[in-house]
């Protein structure tokens, strides 16, 4: 029964949709020019893919630069004079700190127009251009960043560079605005397809490293510019809107979300504090777990189950039915950094036979005790109430019975112990009885009363 009930209560966790993440990802870039009169120029700005027109600055004025990217808490960038710099960046406060020059001048001489870090080989890659508009792919190890290696010369006039988490590189060419896949070993290019957009001088492209989607800050003219998502299978660019106030953007990057640590698995659960049901007593909810355990109690409830009817007992109910099943249900929640295993073993005071089944409710875990049955020690459950009229019931001080005066009346508690015996003379004084359930025997009959 309880296993079927467990399956009925189990729910599945829903995954977060990637598109929602993409829309809310915070993007950053260096604003070279703003054509609507705002003073974003030479500052890093931020916006979301959902609202690229809503822009705010995250830095003070910086040296003029073309290429920038983010890595391990720093914004790395190359100035127009080829200085490789880095500045600490705090995405929570949206601030870029004071920068330091790592390499005064990267060699050989070229204009560095885009850059991207490859997490697969640990190298920083640069897209460069010489005075004849030849485009080069270069790279360096950040342990020795001044040692720049020329990987190769592009066979097209490449204008952007982006590398995903798998080490795949892409770029958009100046002529035709086509998307190409780039071989990072030799700068060879493979045509993917047209973006459908024109390209002018300032461009920037980067991957959302959490979703694997490619994004592009495109600029052709003041009336043809904006933020785009690019399909790496076809090259097609989908507009997400204008970047605030006609901003000409380079150095596009995002900050990947930190990978949460793998949660620890809970395979054993320990509870204590409850007692098995006793006839005539109220439900006992006094159950607890040690505060040092990696889980807490969310809810505790006693249930009565008979003929497919699962009834939750209230605190003022009694265990007063024979031939029905009572069980205790405990809902446990894992603390942060923990999850329950597929079928944890539940112990009560070191005994793993007290709880016999469990099931999931979202990320929480429901456990059930074995079924209990209780027996009326006075035989009260077998009696009918039509033989003797009793009122009021429940009673507080005085009880009246429809019996002959002088009849001997015996009162028993639910353990079967006689607590009163006297002759009935028009009423029965029960004011000294402890509140609870009692059995009254008179004239060969037994009836149940409640003393309040």
């Amino acid at each position: 029964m309880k296993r079927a009930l467990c399956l009925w209560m189990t729910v599945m966790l829903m995954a977060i949709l990637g598109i929602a993440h993409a829309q809310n990802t915070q993007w950053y870039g260096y604003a070279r020019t703003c054509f609507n009169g705002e003073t974003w120029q030479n500052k890093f700005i931020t916006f979301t893919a959902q609202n690229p027109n809503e822009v705010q600055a995250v830095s003070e004025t910086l040296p003029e630069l073309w290429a920038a990217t983010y890595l391990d808490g720093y914004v790395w960038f190359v100035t127009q004079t080829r200085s490789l710099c880095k500045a600490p960046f705090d995405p929570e406060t949206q601030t870029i700190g004071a920068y330091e020059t790592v390499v005064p001048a990267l060699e050989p001489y070229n204009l560095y127009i885009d850059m991207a870090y490859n997490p697969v080989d640990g190298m920083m890659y640069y897209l460069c251009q010489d005075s004849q508009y030849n485009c080069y792919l270069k790279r360096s190890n950040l342990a020795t960043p001044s040692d720049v290696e020329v990987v190769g010369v592009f066979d097209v006039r490449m204008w952007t560079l982006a590398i995903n988490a798998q080490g795949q590189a892409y770029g958009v060419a100046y002529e035709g605005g086509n998307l190409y896949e780039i071989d990072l070993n030799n700068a060879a290019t493979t045509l993917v397809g047209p973006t459908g957009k024109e390209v002018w001088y300032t461009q920037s492209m980067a991957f959302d490293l959490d979703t694997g989607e490619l994004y592009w800050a495109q600029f052709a003219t003041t009336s043809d510019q904006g933020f785009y998502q690019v399909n790496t299978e076809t090259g097609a660019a989908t507009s997400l809107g204008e970047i605030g106030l006609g901003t000409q953007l380079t150095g596009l990057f995002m900050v990947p979300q930190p990978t949460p640590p793998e949660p620890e698995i809970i395979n054993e659960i320990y509870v204590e504090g409850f007692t098995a049901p006793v006839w005539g007593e109220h439900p006992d909810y006094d159950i607890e777990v040690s505060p040092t355990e990696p889980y807490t109690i969310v809810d505790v409830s006693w249930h009565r189950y008979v003929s497919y009817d699962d009834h939750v007992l209230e605190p003022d109910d009694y265990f007063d039915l024979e031939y029905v099943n009572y069980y205790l249900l405990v809902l446990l929640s894992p603390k942060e950094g923990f999850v329950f295993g597929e079928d944890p073993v539940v112990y009560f005071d070191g005994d793993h036979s007290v709880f016999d089944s469990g099931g999931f409710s979202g990320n929480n875990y429901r456990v059930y005790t074995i079924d209990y049955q209780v027996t009326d020690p006075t035989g009260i459950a077998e009696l009918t109430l039509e033989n003797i009229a009793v009122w009021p019931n429940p009673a507080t001080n005085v009880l009246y019975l429809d019996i002959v005066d002088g009849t001997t009346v015996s009162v028993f508690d639910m353990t079967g112990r006689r607590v009163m015996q006297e002759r009935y003379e028009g009423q029965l004084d029960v004011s000294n009885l402890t509140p609870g359930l009692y059995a009254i025997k008179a004239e060969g009959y037994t009836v149940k009363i409640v003393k309040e």
Side-chain angles (χ1 to χ4, degrees):
M1 175 279 298
K2 288 180 291 186
R3 288 175 176 80
L5 181 64
C6 168
L7 290 174
W8 177 79
M9 290 188 288
T10 300
V11 297
M12 298 187 63
L13 293 175
M14 295 185 66
I16 298 175
L17 294 176
I19 186 170
H21 169 90
Q23 289 181 337
N24 292 311
T25 297
Q26 203 73 33
W27 285 95
Y28 304 88
Y30 180 81
R32 292 189 55 83
T33 306
C34 181
F35 291 94
N36 287 3
E38 295 292 331
T39 56
W40 302 128
Q41 286 91 331
N42 300 331
K43 296 180 180 180
F44 277 98
I45 61 173
T46 184
F47 56 90
T48 65
Q50 187 177 25
N51 295 299
N53 195 47
E54 297 180 8
V55 172
Q56 66 182 41
V58 297
S59 72
E60 296 302 320
T61 302
L62 293 169
E64 189 173 4
L65 61 93
W66 293 94
T69 192
Y70 173 85
L71 177 64
D72 295 338
Y74 287 88
V75 176
W76 291 77
F77 59 90
V78 180
T79 67
Q80 192 161 334
T81 58
R82 296 175 292 116
S83 292
L84 177 64
C85 305
K86 69 175 184 178
F89 177 55
D90 185 348
E92 290 190 7
T93 61
Q94 302 283 294
T95 55
I96 296 177
Y99 73 93
E100 62 176 290
T101 300
V102 179
V103 181
L106 293 172
E107 297 295 343
Y109 177 78
N110 282 128
L111 179 63
Y112 286 68
I113 61 175
D114 212 347
M115 62 191 292
Y117 178 75
N118 183 2
V120 174
D121 62 13
M123 304 287 282
M124 187 71 77
Y125 284 79
Y126 308 95
L127 174 59
C128 305
Q129 176 188 275
D130 64 17
S131 57
Q132 283 74 45
Y133 300 107
N134 297 308
C135 292
Y136 299 82
L137 180 65
K138 301 180 182 181
R139 65 186 174 195
S140 67
N141 189 322
L142 294 182
T144 56
S146 60
D147 298 334
V148 179
E149 171 192 3
V150 177
V151 176
V153 181
F154 288 103
D155 56 357
V156 294
R157 193 176 173 187
M158 194 62 64
W159 228 238
T160 65
L161 174 66
I163 303 174
N164 65 18
Q166 293 72 43
Q168 298 170 301
Y170 293 84
V172 172
Y174 183 85
E175 288 83 6
N178 293 320
L179 180 71
Y180 289 84
E181 186 170 359
I182 300 169
D183 189 332
L184 294 178
N185 295 309
N186 53 25
T189 60
T190 302
L191 176 64
V192 175
T195 63
K197 301 301 298 179
E198 294 182 0
V199 177
W200 196 52
Y201 204 48
T202 301
Q203 308 289 315
S204 191
M205 184 171 275
F207 277 96
D208 183 329
L209 297 177
D210 293 331
T211 66
E213 300 291 341
L214 181 59
Y215 291 83
W216 180 25
Q218 178 265 354
F219 188 91
T221 65
T222 56
S223 60
D224 182 15
Q225 54 81 33
F227 196 56
Y228 291 81
Q229 186 172 341
V230 181
N231 188 319
T232 55
E233 297 294 328
T234 66
T238 302
S239 176
L240 301 175
E242 178 183 298
I243 299 175
L245 305 172
T247 301
Q248 190 180 25
L249 191 72
T250 188
L252 181 70
F253 69 87
M254 57 82 67
V255 179
Q257 294 294 315
T259 302
E262 289 292 327
E264 294 187 43
I265 298 176
I266 303 170
N267 290 315
E268 294 181 343
I269 298 172
Y270 297 89
V271 297
E272 58 184 16
F274 83 98
T275 57
V278 177
W279 178 272
E281 291 190 358
H282 294 295
D284 178 11
Y285 293 85
D286 188 23
I287 190 168
E288 59 184 22
V289 299
S290 170
T292 61
E293 296 293 350
Y295 43 85
T296 57
I297 292 178
V298 176
D299 190 30
V300 181
S301 56
W302 275 102
H303 292 244
R304 182 179 68 225
Y305 183 81
V306 57
S307 300
Y308 298 99
D309 176 30
D310 191 81
H311 173 74
V312 179
L313 272 65
E314 301 297 332
D316 58 352
D317 285 338
Y318 291 94
F319 294 112
D320 59 357
L321 291 180
E322 290 185 311
Y323 311 115
V324 300
N325 291 323
Y326 292 94
Y327 68 91
L328 180 69
L329 182 149
V330 183
L331 181 63
L332 298 146
S333 179
K335 293 180 181 177
E336 186 175 357
F338 294 87
V339 294
F340 289 112
E342 293 184 1
D343 191 16
V345 179
V346 186
Y347 292 88
F348 171 68
D349 289 344
D351 184 356
H352 66 80
S353 65
V354 175
F355 289 85
D356 67 349
S357 64
F360 286 94
S361 176
N363 195 36
N364 298 329
Y365 193 69
R366 298 177 183 269
V367 296
Y368 309 83
T369 61
I370 59 172
D371 290 334
Y372 294 99
Q373 291 187 346
V374 292
T375 302
D376 174 16
T378 67
I380 191 172
E382 301 175 0
L383 300 172
T384 61
L385 299 182
E386 289 78 12
N387 299 302
I388 300 178
V390 180
W391 72 93
N393 192 7
T396 303
N397 295 313
V398 176
L399 187 68
Y400 301 94
L401 292 84
D402 187 15
I403 60 176
V404 177
D405 287 354
T407 301
T408 299
V409 177
S410 299
V411 181
F412 298 84
D413 66 16
M414 290 300 99
T415 68
R417 180 173 62 89
R418 186 168 58 192
V419 294
M420 280 182 60
Q421 182 171 307
E422 59 184 62
R423 290 185 180 276
Y424 183 77
E425 298 295 343
Q427 64 182 27
L428 189 66
D429 184 359
V430 294
S431 60
N432 292 327
L433 293 180
T434 303
L437 190 66
Y438 294 89
I440 294 180
K441 293 189 177 182
E443 295 184 347
Y445 301 107
T446 304
V447 294
K448 178 174 64 175
I449 67 140
V450 176
K451 167 63 170 64
E452 291 185 336

